mmCIF file of all heavy atoms in Angstrom:
data_model
loop_
_atom_site.group_PDB
_atom_site.id
_atom_site.type_symbol
_atom_site.label_atom_id
_atom_site.label_comp_id
_atom_site.label_asym_id
_atom_site.label_seq_id
_atom_site.Cartn_x
_atom_site.Cartn_y
_atom_site.Cartn_z
ATOM 1 N N VAL A 1 64.431 256.962 284.957
ATOM 2 C CA VAL A 1 65.132 257.133 286.293
ATOM 3 C C VAL A 1 64.379 256.396 287.506
ATOM 4 O O VAL A 1 64.868 256.542 288.651
ATOM 5 C CB VAL A 1 65.196 258.669 286.717
ATOM 6 C CG1 VAL A 1 66.019 259.389 285.691
ATOM 7 C CG2 VAL A 1 63.883 259.282 286.747
ATOM 8 N N GLY A 2 63.353 255.624 287.102
ATOM 9 C CA GLY A 2 62.755 254.949 288.197
ATOM 10 C C GLY A 2 61.356 254.404 287.888
ATOM 11 O O GLY A 2 61.010 254.399 286.617
ATOM 12 N N VAL A 3 60.629 254.106 288.856
ATOM 13 C CA VAL A 3 59.252 253.653 288.656
ATOM 14 C C VAL A 3 58.217 254.304 289.692
ATOM 15 O O VAL A 3 58.641 254.688 290.730
ATOM 16 C CB VAL A 3 59.222 252.077 288.848
ATOM 17 C CG1 VAL A 3 59.573 251.741 290.166
ATOM 18 C CG2 VAL A 3 57.857 251.444 288.313
ATOM 19 N N ILE A 4 57.085 254.381 289.166
ATOM 20 C CA ILE A 4 55.976 254.710 290.226
ATOM 21 C C ILE A 4 55.133 253.387 290.119
ATOM 22 O O ILE A 4 54.503 253.055 289.263
ATOM 23 C CB ILE A 4 55.083 255.915 289.691
ATOM 24 C CG1 ILE A 4 55.972 257.180 289.725
ATOM 25 C CG2 ILE A 4 53.928 256.051 290.585
ATOM 26 C CD1 ILE A 4 55.292 258.373 289.225
ATOM 27 N N SER A 5 55.266 252.643 291.349
ATOM 28 C CA SER A 5 55.005 251.294 291.389
ATOM 29 C C SER A 5 53.888 250.818 292.223
ATOM 30 O O SER A 5 53.746 251.299 293.453
ATOM 31 C CB SER A 5 56.288 250.554 291.934
ATOM 32 O OG SER A 5 56.074 249.216 292.178
ATOM 33 N N VAL A 6 52.984 249.899 291.770
ATOM 34 C CA VAL A 6 52.027 249.268 292.615
ATOM 35 C C VAL A 6 52.700 248.171 293.416
ATOM 36 O O VAL A 6 52.345 248.062 294.594
ATOM 37 C CB VAL A 6 50.906 248.587 291.637
ATOM 38 C CG1 VAL A 6 49.914 247.757 292.387
ATOM 39 C CG2 VAL A 6 50.230 249.688 290.843
ATOM 40 N N THR A 7 53.502 247.400 292.840
ATOM 41 C CA THR A 7 54.112 246.327 293.483
ATOM 42 C C THR A 7 54.916 246.812 294.871
ATOM 43 O O THR A 7 54.922 246.048 295.791
ATOM 44 C CB THR A 7 55.103 245.625 292.631
ATOM 45 O OG1 THR A 7 54.386 245.291 291.362
ATOM 46 C CG2 THR A 7 55.692 244.269 293.096
ATOM 47 N N ALA A 8 55.352 248.013 294.867
ATOM 48 C CA ALA A 8 56.187 248.576 295.929
ATOM 49 C C ALA A 8 55.303 248.609 297.170
ATOM 50 O O ALA A 8 55.921 248.715 298.361
ATOM 51 C CB ALA A 8 56.729 249.988 295.504
ATOM 52 N N ASN A 9 53.988 248.513 297.106
ATOM 53 C CA ASN A 9 53.144 248.519 298.232
ATOM 54 C C ASN A 9 53.521 247.338 299.080
ATOM 55 O O ASN A 9 53.299 247.313 300.286
ATOM 56 C CB ASN A 9 51.650 248.498 297.886
ATOM 57 C CG ASN A 9 51.152 249.835 297.449
ATOM 58 O OD1 ASN A 9 50.763 250.677 298.399
ATOM 59 N ND2 ASN A 9 50.939 250.126 296.219
ATOM 60 N N ILE A 10 53.904 246.258 298.479
ATOM 61 C CA ILE A 10 54.087 244.914 299.261
ATOM 62 C C ILE A 10 55.634 244.445 299.120
ATOM 63 O O ILE A 10 55.937 243.638 300.094
ATOM 64 C CB ILE A 10 53.071 243.842 298.724
ATOM 65 C CG1 ILE A 10 53.315 243.489 297.299
ATOM 66 C CG2 ILE A 10 51.656 244.245 298.992
ATOM 67 C CD1 ILE A 10 52.594 242.261 296.885
ATOM 68 N N ILE A 11 56.371 244.932 298.187
ATOM 69 C CA ILE A 11 57.765 244.471 298.231
ATOM 70 C C ILE A 11 58.634 245.733 298.059
ATOM 71 O O ILE A 11 59.377 245.925 297.114
ATOM 72 C CB ILE A 11 58.144 243.485 297.213
ATOM 73 C CG1 ILE A 11 57.574 243.795 295.782
ATOM 74 C CG2 ILE A 11 57.712 242.078 297.496
ATOM 75 C CD1 ILE A 11 58.317 243.012 294.621
ATOM 76 N N PRO A 12 58.434 246.781 298.977
ATOM 77 C CA PRO A 12 59.261 248.005 298.904
ATOM 78 C C PRO A 12 60.629 247.893 298.785
ATOM 79 O O PRO A 12 61.370 248.597 298.041
ATOM 80 C CB PRO A 12 58.773 248.815 300.088
ATOM 81 C CG PRO A 12 58.342 247.741 301.057
ATOM 82 C CD PRO A 12 57.718 246.660 300.286
ATOM 83 N N ASP A 13 61.241 247.073 299.596
ATOM 84 C CA ASP A 13 62.773 246.934 299.647
ATOM 85 C C ASP A 13 63.287 246.443 298.296
ATOM 86 O O ASP A 13 64.285 246.947 297.855
ATOM 87 C CB ASP A 13 63.170 246.005 300.719
ATOM 88 C CG ASP A 13 62.914 246.592 302.200
ATOM 89 O OD1 ASP A 13 63.546 247.618 302.544
ATOM 90 O OD2 ASP A 13 62.094 246.003 302.933
ATOM 91 N N ASP A 14 62.686 245.387 297.799
ATOM 92 C CA ASP A 14 63.070 244.904 296.578
ATOM 93 C C ASP A 14 62.945 245.780 295.409
ATOM 94 O O ASP A 14 63.720 245.827 294.453
ATOM 95 C CB ASP A 14 62.404 243.525 296.306
ATOM 96 C CG ASP A 14 62.922 242.278 297.064
ATOM 97 O OD1 ASP A 14 63.907 242.634 297.939
ATOM 98 O OD2 ASP A 14 62.508 241.232 296.896
ATOM 99 N N THR A 15 61.874 246.547 295.410
ATOM 100 C CA THR A 15 61.559 247.496 294.297
ATOM 101 C C THR A 15 62.657 248.614 294.344
ATOM 102 O O THR A 15 63.117 249.115 293.307
ATOM 103 C CB THR A 15 60.215 247.998 294.325
ATOM 104 O OG1 THR A 15 59.262 246.938 294.520
ATOM 105 C CG2 THR A 15 59.772 248.773 293.035
ATOM 106 N N HIS A 16 62.919 249.037 295.532
ATOM 107 C CA HIS A 16 63.948 250.024 295.681
ATOM 108 C C HIS A 16 65.343 249.436 295.227
ATOM 109 O O HIS A 16 66.029 250.127 294.476
ATOM 110 C CB HIS A 16 64.173 250.414 297.186
ATOM 111 C CG HIS A 16 65.466 251.073 297.583
ATOM 112 N ND1 HIS A 16 65.691 252.411 297.197
ATOM 113 C CD2 HIS A 16 66.530 250.607 298.026
ATOM 114 C CE1 HIS A 16 66.945 252.675 297.558
ATOM 115 N NE2 HIS A 16 67.460 251.655 298.062
ATOM 116 N N GLU A 17 65.638 248.268 295.730
ATOM 117 C CA GLU A 17 66.927 247.618 295.267
ATOM 118 C C GLU A 17 67.018 247.514 293.829
ATOM 119 O O GLU A 17 68.071 247.587 293.161
ATOM 120 C CB GLU A 17 67.157 246.247 295.921
ATOM 121 C CG GLU A 17 68.530 245.781 295.734
ATOM 122 C CD GLU A 17 68.626 244.375 296.291
ATOM 123 O OE1 GLU A 17 67.811 243.763 297.044
ATOM 124 O OE2 GLU A 17 69.718 243.684 296.012
ATOM 125 N N LEU A 18 65.918 247.031 293.171
ATOM 126 C CA LEU A 18 65.888 246.839 291.701
ATOM 127 C C LEU A 18 66.379 248.168 291.018
ATOM 128 O O LEU A 18 67.262 248.145 290.190
ATOM 129 C CB LEU A 18 64.548 246.466 291.190
ATOM 130 C CG LEU A 18 64.359 246.075 289.734
ATOM 131 C CD1 LEU A 18 62.959 245.400 289.661
ATOM 132 C CD2 LEU A 18 64.408 247.166 288.730
ATOM 133 N N CYS A 19 65.725 249.348 291.385
ATOM 134 C CA CYS A 19 66.074 250.627 290.770
ATOM 135 C C CYS A 19 67.453 251.071 291.097
ATOM 136 O O CYS A 19 68.204 251.515 290.231
ATOM 137 C CB CYS A 19 65.004 251.637 291.177
ATOM 138 S SG CYS A 19 63.354 251.315 290.658
ATOM 139 N N ALA A 20 67.786 250.896 292.483
ATOM 140 C CA ALA A 20 69.147 251.441 292.836
ATOM 141 C C ALA A 20 70.221 250.541 292.187
ATOM 142 O O ALA A 20 71.254 251.135 291.875
ATOM 143 C CB ALA A 20 69.241 251.195 294.393
ATOM 144 N N SER A 21 69.987 249.275 291.986
ATOM 145 C CA SER A 21 70.901 248.410 291.315
ATOM 146 C C SER A 21 71.266 248.942 289.945
ATOM 147 O O SER A 21 72.290 249.049 289.480
ATOM 148 C CB SER A 21 70.560 247.014 291.348
ATOM 149 O OG SER A 21 70.544 246.476 292.693
ATOM 150 N N PHE A 22 70.151 249.218 289.215
ATOM 151 C CA PHE A 22 70.348 249.743 287.816
ATOM 152 C C PHE A 22 70.997 250.932 287.746
ATOM 153 O O PHE A 22 71.955 251.149 286.960
ATOM 154 C CB PHE A 22 69.049 249.709 287.122
ATOM 155 C CG PHE A 22 69.179 249.927 285.620
ATOM 156 C CD1 PHE A 22 68.934 248.862 284.741
ATOM 157 C CD2 PHE A 22 69.379 251.116 285.047
ATOM 158 C CE1 PHE A 22 69.062 248.985 283.404
ATOM 159 C CE2 PHE A 22 69.604 251.278 283.741
ATOM 160 C CZ PHE A 22 69.406 250.174 282.880
ATOM 161 N N LEU A 23 70.668 252.019 288.632
ATOM 162 C CA LEU A 23 71.241 253.230 288.675
ATOM 163 C C LEU A 23 72.692 253.231 289.077
ATOM 164 O O LEU A 23 73.555 253.981 288.620
ATOM 165 C CB LEU A 23 70.518 254.177 289.629
ATOM 166 C CG LEU A 23 69.097 254.508 289.157
ATOM 167 C CD1 LEU A 23 68.264 255.260 290.403
ATOM 168 C CD2 LEU A 23 69.037 255.405 288.055
ATOM 169 N N ASP A 24 73.155 252.194 289.787
ATOM 170 C CA ASP A 24 74.463 251.993 290.255
ATOM 171 C C ASP A 24 75.227 251.214 289.228
ATOM 172 O O ASP A 24 76.470 250.911 289.525
ATOM 173 C CB ASP A 24 74.535 251.211 291.565
ATOM 174 C CG ASP A 24 74.104 252.124 292.767
ATOM 175 O OD1 ASP A 24 74.083 253.350 292.662
ATOM 176 O OD2 ASP A 24 73.723 251.598 293.753
ATOM 177 N N GLY A 25 74.623 250.767 288.163
ATOM 178 C CA GLY A 25 75.319 250.044 287.139
ATOM 179 C C GLY A 25 75.398 248.546 287.198
ATOM 180 O O GLY A 25 76.015 247.848 286.395
ATOM 181 N N ASN A 26 74.572 248.001 288.234
ATOM 182 C CA ASN A 26 74.482 246.631 288.443
ATOM 183 C C ASN A 26 73.279 246.078 287.765
ATOM 184 O O ASN A 26 72.334 245.604 288.361
ATOM 185 C CB ASN A 26 74.415 246.183 289.956
ATOM 186 C CG ASN A 26 74.525 244.800 290.145
ATOM 187 O OD1 ASN A 26 74.577 243.863 289.263
ATOM 188 N ND2 ASN A 26 74.825 244.379 291.423
ATOM 189 N N VAL A 27 73.372 245.948 286.451
ATOM 190 C CA VAL A 27 72.221 245.660 285.568
ATOM 191 C C VAL A 27 71.856 244.170 285.821
ATOM 192 O O VAL A 27 70.645 243.831 285.805
ATOM 193 C CB VAL A 27 72.544 245.956 284.100
ATOM 194 C CG1 VAL A 27 71.412 245.447 283.166
ATOM 195 C CG2 VAL A 27 72.911 247.370 283.840
ATOM 196 N N ALA A 28 72.827 243.427 286.031
ATOM 197 C CA ALA A 28 72.450 241.949 286.259
ATOM 198 C C ALA A 28 71.590 241.697 287.485
ATOM 199 O O ALA A 28 70.669 240.970 287.460
ATOM 200 C CB ALA A 28 73.773 241.204 286.458
ATOM 201 N N ARG A 29 71.815 242.446 288.563
ATOM 202 C CA ARG A 29 71.100 242.350 289.786
ATOM 203 C C ARG A 29 69.646 242.930 289.602
ATOM 204 O O ARG A 29 68.692 242.359 289.973
ATOM 205 C CB ARG A 29 71.699 243.111 290.953
ATOM 206 C CG ARG A 29 70.846 243.075 292.280
ATOM 207 C CD ARG A 29 70.476 241.654 292.664
ATOM 208 N NE ARG A 29 69.783 241.696 294.033
ATOM 209 C CZ ARG A 29 69.056 240.637 294.485
ATOM 210 N NH1 ARG A 29 69.021 239.560 293.792
ATOM 211 N NH2 ARG A 29 68.498 240.845 295.614
ATOM 212 N N ALA A 30 69.567 244.028 288.905
ATOM 213 C CA ALA A 30 68.280 244.675 288.522
ATOM 214 C C ALA A 30 67.507 243.708 287.711
ATOM 215 O O ALA A 30 66.267 243.475 287.991
ATOM 216 C CB ALA A 30 68.445 246.022 287.770
ATOM 217 N N ARG A 31 68.136 243.124 286.744
ATOM 218 C CA ARG A 31 67.432 242.234 285.807
ATOM 219 C C ARG A 31 66.900 240.946 286.684
ATOM 220 O O ARG A 31 65.794 240.420 286.465
ATOM 221 C CB ARG A 31 68.376 241.720 284.785
ATOM 222 C CG ARG A 31 67.652 240.675 283.764
ATOM 223 C CD ARG A 31 68.536 240.422 282.553
ATOM 224 N NE ARG A 31 69.791 239.845 282.920
ATOM 225 C CZ ARG A 31 70.960 240.421 282.765
ATOM 226 N NH1 ARG A 31 71.043 241.574 282.240
ATOM 227 N NH2 ARG A 31 72.000 239.776 283.154
ATOM 228 N N GLU A 32 67.777 240.472 287.548
ATOM 229 C CA GLU A 32 67.392 239.401 288.374
ATOM 230 C C GLU A 32 66.142 239.652 289.228
ATOM 231 O O GLU A 32 65.043 238.813 289.265
ATOM 232 C CB GLU A 32 68.511 239.012 289.407
ATOM 233 C CG GLU A 32 68.264 237.779 290.321
ATOM 234 C CD GLU A 32 69.300 237.662 291.343
ATOM 235 O OE1 GLU A 32 70.393 238.416 291.247
ATOM 236 O OE2 GLU A 32 69.139 236.675 292.130
ATOM 237 N N LEU A 33 66.038 240.792 289.759
ATOM 238 C CA LEU A 33 64.844 241.193 290.579
ATOM 239 C C LEU A 33 63.648 241.380 289.674
ATOM 240 O O LEU A 33 62.544 241.090 290.127
ATOM 241 C CB LEU A 33 65.162 242.342 291.420
ATOM 242 C CG LEU A 33 66.192 242.273 292.618
ATOM 243 C CD1 LEU A 33 66.674 243.472 293.196
ATOM 244 C CD2 LEU A 33 65.535 241.349 293.665
ATOM 245 N N GLN A 34 63.931 241.910 288.586
ATOM 246 C CA GLN A 34 62.804 242.234 287.629
ATOM 247 C C GLN A 34 62.122 240.913 287.232
ATOM 248 O O GLN A 34 60.881 240.753 287.287
ATOM 249 C CB GLN A 34 63.287 242.961 286.411
ATOM 250 C CG GLN A 34 62.157 243.222 285.285
ATOM 251 C CD GLN A 34 61.246 244.249 285.636
ATOM 252 O OE1 GLN A 34 61.425 245.379 285.244
ATOM 253 N NE2 GLN A 34 60.130 243.914 286.270
ATOM 254 N N LEU A 35 62.945 239.974 286.909
ATOM 255 C CA LEU A 35 62.376 238.664 286.390
ATOM 256 C C LEU A 35 61.783 237.905 287.583
ATOM 257 O O LEU A 35 60.753 237.084 287.388
ATOM 258 C CB LEU A 35 63.526 237.825 285.705
ATOM 259 C CG LEU A 35 64.013 238.422 284.489
ATOM 260 C CD1 LEU A 35 65.165 237.602 283.910
ATOM 261 C CD2 LEU A 35 62.999 238.678 283.427
ATOM 262 N N LYS A 36 62.347 238.037 288.741
ATOM 263 C CA LYS A 36 61.825 237.291 289.913
ATOM 264 C C LYS A 36 60.407 237.840 290.144
ATOM 265 O O LYS A 36 59.524 237.097 290.635
ATOM 266 C CB LYS A 36 62.678 237.618 291.170
ATOM 267 C CG LYS A 36 62.233 237.028 292.423
ATOM 268 C CD LYS A 36 62.991 237.300 293.618
ATOM 269 C CE LYS A 36 62.443 236.763 294.934
ATOM 270 N NZ LYS A 36 63.218 237.104 296.150
ATOM 271 N N ALA A 37 60.053 239.052 289.831
ATOM 272 C CA ALA A 37 58.845 239.732 290.227
ATOM 273 C C ALA A 37 57.689 239.454 289.172
ATOM 274 O O ALA A 37 56.485 239.973 289.309
ATOM 275 C CB ALA A 37 59.000 241.181 290.544
ATOM 276 N N ILE A 38 58.005 238.957 287.986
ATOM 277 C CA ILE A 38 57.132 238.866 286.935
ATOM 278 C C ILE A 38 55.772 238.202 287.322
ATOM 279 O O ILE A 38 54.697 238.662 287.088
ATOM 280 C CB ILE A 38 57.708 238.109 285.660
ATOM 281 C CG1 ILE A 38 58.855 239.043 285.120
ATOM 282 C CG2 ILE A 38 56.630 237.860 284.624
ATOM 283 C CD1 ILE A 38 58.323 240.427 284.573
ATOM 284 N N ASP A 39 55.890 237.030 287.879
ATOM 285 C CA ASP A 39 54.552 236.334 288.203
ATOM 286 C C ASP A 39 53.823 237.131 289.258
ATOM 287 O O ASP A 39 52.586 237.068 289.200
ATOM 288 C CB ASP A 39 54.889 234.915 288.708
ATOM 289 C CG ASP A 39 55.278 234.004 287.635
ATOM 290 O OD1 ASP A 39 55.082 234.251 286.482
ATOM 291 O OD2 ASP A 39 55.997 232.906 287.971
ATOM 292 N N LEU A 40 54.449 237.765 290.185
ATOM 293 C CA LEU A 40 53.816 238.618 291.225
ATOM 294 C C LEU A 40 53.184 239.743 290.473
ATOM 295 O O LEU A 40 51.981 240.023 290.856
ATOM 296 C CB LEU A 40 54.866 239.016 292.229
ATOM 297 C CG LEU A 40 54.272 239.966 293.329
ATOM 298 C CD1 LEU A 40 53.165 239.221 294.183
ATOM 299 C CD2 LEU A 40 55.470 240.391 294.309
ATOM 300 N N CYS A 41 53.861 240.343 289.626
ATOM 301 C CA CYS A 41 53.255 241.526 288.907
ATOM 302 C C CYS A 41 51.890 241.068 288.234
ATOM 303 O O CYS A 41 50.955 241.795 288.170
ATOM 304 C CB CYS A 41 54.259 242.064 287.954
ATOM 305 S SG CYS A 41 55.618 242.956 288.622
ATOM 306 N N LYS A 42 52.042 239.882 287.511
ATOM 307 C CA LYS A 42 50.852 239.465 286.859
ATOM 308 C C LYS A 42 49.635 239.104 287.689
ATOM 309 O O LYS A 42 48.575 239.529 287.421
ATOM 310 C CB LYS A 42 51.239 238.181 286.052
ATOM 311 C CG LYS A 42 52.076 238.308 284.804
ATOM 312 C CD LYS A 42 52.382 236.994 284.103
ATOM 313 C CE LYS A 42 53.141 237.221 282.889
ATOM 314 N NZ LYS A 42 53.436 235.818 282.200
ATOM 315 N N ALA A 43 50.012 238.674 288.801
ATOM 316 C CA ALA A 43 48.912 238.380 289.800
ATOM 317 C C ALA A 43 48.288 239.677 290.390
ATOM 318 O O ALA A 43 47.144 239.789 290.658
ATOM 319 C CB ALA A 43 49.437 237.574 291.030
ATOM 320 N N LEU A 44 49.106 240.778 290.528
ATOM 321 C CA LEU A 44 48.698 242.019 291.024
ATOM 322 C C LEU A 44 47.795 242.738 289.978
ATOM 323 O O LEU A 44 47.192 243.755 290.415
ATOM 324 C CB LEU A 44 49.864 242.712 291.471
ATOM 325 C CG LEU A 44 50.493 242.326 292.882
ATOM 326 C CD1 LEU A 44 51.767 243.150 293.068
ATOM 327 C CD2 LEU A 44 49.472 242.676 293.992
ATOM 328 N N PHE A 45 47.825 242.199 288.768
ATOM 329 C CA PHE A 45 47.028 242.928 287.797
ATOM 330 C C PHE A 45 46.134 241.972 287.053
ATOM 331 O O PHE A 45 45.589 242.209 286.005
ATOM 332 C CB PHE A 45 47.984 243.601 286.711
ATOM 333 C CG PHE A 45 48.653 244.884 287.233
ATOM 334 C CD1 PHE A 45 49.925 244.669 287.772
ATOM 335 C CD2 PHE A 45 48.016 246.140 287.109
ATOM 336 C CE1 PHE A 45 50.492 245.831 288.498
ATOM 337 C CE2 PHE A 45 48.627 247.239 287.634
ATOM 338 C CZ PHE A 45 49.933 247.214 288.318
ATOM 339 N N CYS A 46 45.723 240.778 287.782
ATOM 340 C CA CYS A 46 44.820 239.848 287.115
ATOM 341 C C CYS A 46 43.494 240.411 287.310
ATOM 342 O O CYS A 46 42.489 239.806 286.588
ATOM 343 C CB CYS A 46 44.918 238.529 287.811
ATOM 344 S SG CYS A 46 44.509 238.380 289.503
ATOM 345 N N GLU A 47 43.220 241.389 288.104
ATOM 346 C CA GLU A 47 41.988 242.142 288.035
ATOM 347 C C GLU A 47 42.371 243.548 288.128
ATOM 348 O O GLU A 47 43.418 243.910 288.287
ATOM 349 C CB GLU A 47 41.140 241.746 289.380
ATOM 350 C CG GLU A 47 40.471 240.300 289.327
ATOM 351 C CD GLU A 47 39.440 240.189 290.382
ATOM 352 O OE1 GLU A 47 38.944 241.245 290.958
ATOM 353 O OE2 GLU A 47 39.292 239.029 290.698
#
């Protein structure tokens, strides 16, 4: 039903939209936002 997110500290609007899009049935938009954030997620966990 959602995420407890580290990334949301710096991209709160997009993390909200990702989850809201999925819950609303817009899986394509959720997937787009998920993939857009992959490199950022990796950087936020490089240490």
